[in-house]
Amino acid sequence: HDYPMDLRITAGSLLYQNWLAENLDIRLQNEDQLLADIQLSQLSEQANETTSPSVATPGIETGAISAKVRVKAREPVAQGPDLDLQLNAGIAEQRLALAGPVNINGLGGTQLKLSIDGERSLPLWQLLQPPYAEAGALRVRGDVQIESDQAGEAELTVTLGESSLSNRTRWQQRSGRVFVSSSLDAEKLDLRFTDTSNQTPASTQTESTSGDTNSGPLFSDDRLDFSALRNVDAELDINIRQILSQQVRVRSITARPTLVRGMLSMDRATMDLTQGSAVLSMLLNARNDEALLRLDMDINQVPVSALGIDPAILGDSGEVNAMARLSSSGSSPKEIAASLAGNIEFQAEDIVIKN
């Protein structure tokens, strides 16, 4: 604030590294706080000049973007947050806000609150480019509280249409090790907006004409790096109530995986369907360079329609029972696949195979 400033930059169009900004208007002010006001009518990704038009994919177009940023320095302190941040932005019909004190010389004292609101989700999918359908209004709330450089907590809630998801995570570092505790709760996850079976992706022609095929090995020889698993201890509590998709409806999923000094385990994670159920237990011992893996799975009276197999092949009646007891070891995906051993039992009832 020792150097007052009032600067304005305008441009009808500005091209930078294949990104074109149209009707750009930037204003920067600095008195007792730094203010930035950014407006543009469109930000679009331009096709690379070396790309053949026949294989070019559509670029990203954001539509109008607006952003206002306020940054105010705090009085000099020995520790804690250095400035107050306030950001308000609009993009793809979504309104974003981020505010709170920030410690730029560390982490302790940072407290940020995030909100995202939009009446429609389709403009966001069009920006990010997954081929999704409209899923309803989007609402996101986030809260980050960092107590010190060694500990903090974050909460996140997301609602999309009638679907809701919430997560709470706490982390702490002691004696060079990180301890993470997290919970994930979700209800009525409607995934039908992600179904693309009735859509013709724009990239279909690109993929069919490019002639690019994957001729590499199915399993890599590269050694797996498990060092991160050995330096973190974690526990996760997962509870999901009702998942809706085109193929299957899930009543509930519960799982409680834990990680202790390179030992990842999950005992009897369950998935209950409207008919039938599945139970999965797993153990991954990554305390040494050669990992040990064990998988136990039971599938009980699951309808064929839930397996995602084309009804033209197996029809939509009948049910499946299956059991698997598998184990393996190795230091690379190829070694783990090569040493896979165990038993698999499969039983199908009342299934009609069609021509």
Side-chain angles (χ1 to χ4, degrees):
H1 55 75
D2 293 333
Y3 303 96
M5 174 184 65
D6 192 342
L7 174 65
R8 187 169 189 177
I9 302 172
T10 60
S13 62
L14 178 65
L15 180 64
Y16 179 72
Q17 293 187 349
N18 294 334
W19 288 94
L20 177 65
E22 301 177 44
N23 299 317
L24 178 65
D25 189 340
I26 302 176
R27 186 174 185 183
L28 300 175
Q29 296 175 287
N30 183 27
E31 291 184 3
D32 64 328
Q33 58 185 336
L34 176 63
L35 306 177
D37 191 344
I38 304 171
Q39 308 283 334
L40 64 156
S41 62
Q42 175 85 350
L43 181 65
S44 57
E45 184 182 20
Q46 306 300 295
N48 194 313
E49 294 180 357
T50 61
T51 301
S52 170
S54 63
V55 298
T57 56
I60 296 174
E61 295 184 355
T62 66
I65 298 177
S66 63
K68 293 185 178 182
V69 183
R70 295 175 180 267
V71 178
K72 184 173 183 179
R74 293 191 166 196
E75 293 297 326
V77 292
Q79 59 184 2
D82 307 287
L83 52 85
D84 291 311
L85 171 68
Q86 182 177 346
L87 166 66
N88 295 92
I91 183 172
E93 298 187 21
Q94 311 299 313
R95 301 180 304 278
L96 181 148
L98 181 67
V102 178
N103 185 347
I104 60 175
N105 294 310
L107 295 174
T110 296
Q111 301 177 23
L112 291 174
K113 292 185 179 295
L114 167 71
S115 68
I116 301 175
D117 294 276
E119 296 300 321
R120 299 193 306 143
S121 54
L122 183 59
L124 185 60
W125 310 149
Q126 293 172 337
L127 170 63
L128 301 178
Q129 294 192 324
Y132 296 161
E134 173 63 45
L138 174 66
R139 184 178 186 269
V140 178
R141 294 293 182 270
D143 189 356
V144 178
Q145 306 280 340
I146 303 182
E147 302 164 7
S148 66
D149 290 355
Q150 286 79 37
E153 185 174 339
E155 294 186 17
L156 178 69
T157 60
V158 179
T159 58
L160 180 61
E162 296 183 357
S163 304
S164 64
L165 180 148
S166 64
N167 170 256
R168 181 174 182 177
T169 300
R170 179 169 180 80
W171 66 93
Q172 187 174 14
Q173 184 172 353
R174 296 196 306 266
S175 303
R177 297 185 58 78
V178 179
F179 298 84
V180 180
S181 176
S182 184
S183 63
L184 176 66
D185 294 275
E187 188 167 1
K188 201 174 182 180
L189 293 184
D190 191 341
L191 305 180
R192 290 173 291 185
F193 73 95
T194 65
D195 180 62
T196 60
S197 58
N198 296 325
Q199 302 182 28
T200 302
S203 60
T204 300
Q205 181 179 359
T206 301
E207 296 172 355
S208 62
T209 59
S210 63
D212 182 22
T213 59
N214 183 8
S215 59
L218 182 60
F219 298 102
S220 171
D221 282 324
D222 296 339
R223 294 181 65 87
L224 296 169
D225 184 6
F226 296 109
S227 58
L229 299 182
R230 302 177 193 131
N231 296 326
V232 177
D233 292 343
E235 56 183 19
L236 175 60
D237 190 355
I238 301 173
N239 291 281
I240 301 176
R241 294 169 295 279
Q242 194 176 19
I243 299 178
L244 305 176
S245 71
Q246 295 291 359
Q247 288 78 28
V248 63
R249 297 198 172 195
V250 178
R251 287 179 177 172
S252 65
I253 294 178
T254 59
R256 290 173 178 80
T258 61
L259 175 63
V260 180
R261 296 185 178 274
M263 182 82 74
L264 176 62
S265 62
M266 183 171 64
D267 185 33
R268 297 188 62 80
T270 61
M271 178 173 66
D272 290 324
L273 309 178
T274 52
Q275 177 184 339
S277 63
V279 179
L280 174 67
S281 298
M282 64 87 64
L283 177 68
L284 173 64
N285 186 343
R287 292 175 175 174
N288 301 308
D289 292 338
E290 183 174 281
L292 303 176
L293 176 65
R294 190 180 72 218
L295 293 173
D296 294 344
M297 182 174 65
D298 293 279
I299 296 177
N300 303 305
Q301 297 180 324
V302 172
V304 172
S305 58
L307 302 179
I309 300 175
D310 189 348
I313 300 175
L314 292 182
D316 54 7
S317 63
E319 62 183 31
V320 170
N321 294 279
M323 181 273 288
R325 303 289 184 266
L326 303 173
S327 62
S328 184
S329 63
S331 58
S332 70
K334 185 176 182 179
E335 290 181 1
I336 292 175
S339 63
L340 187 65
N343 299 317
I344 297 178
E345 296 180 6
F346 183 88
Q347 180 183 8
E349 298 178 358
D350 301 325
I351 291 179
V352 178
I353 299 178
K354 299 184 177 183
N355 293 328

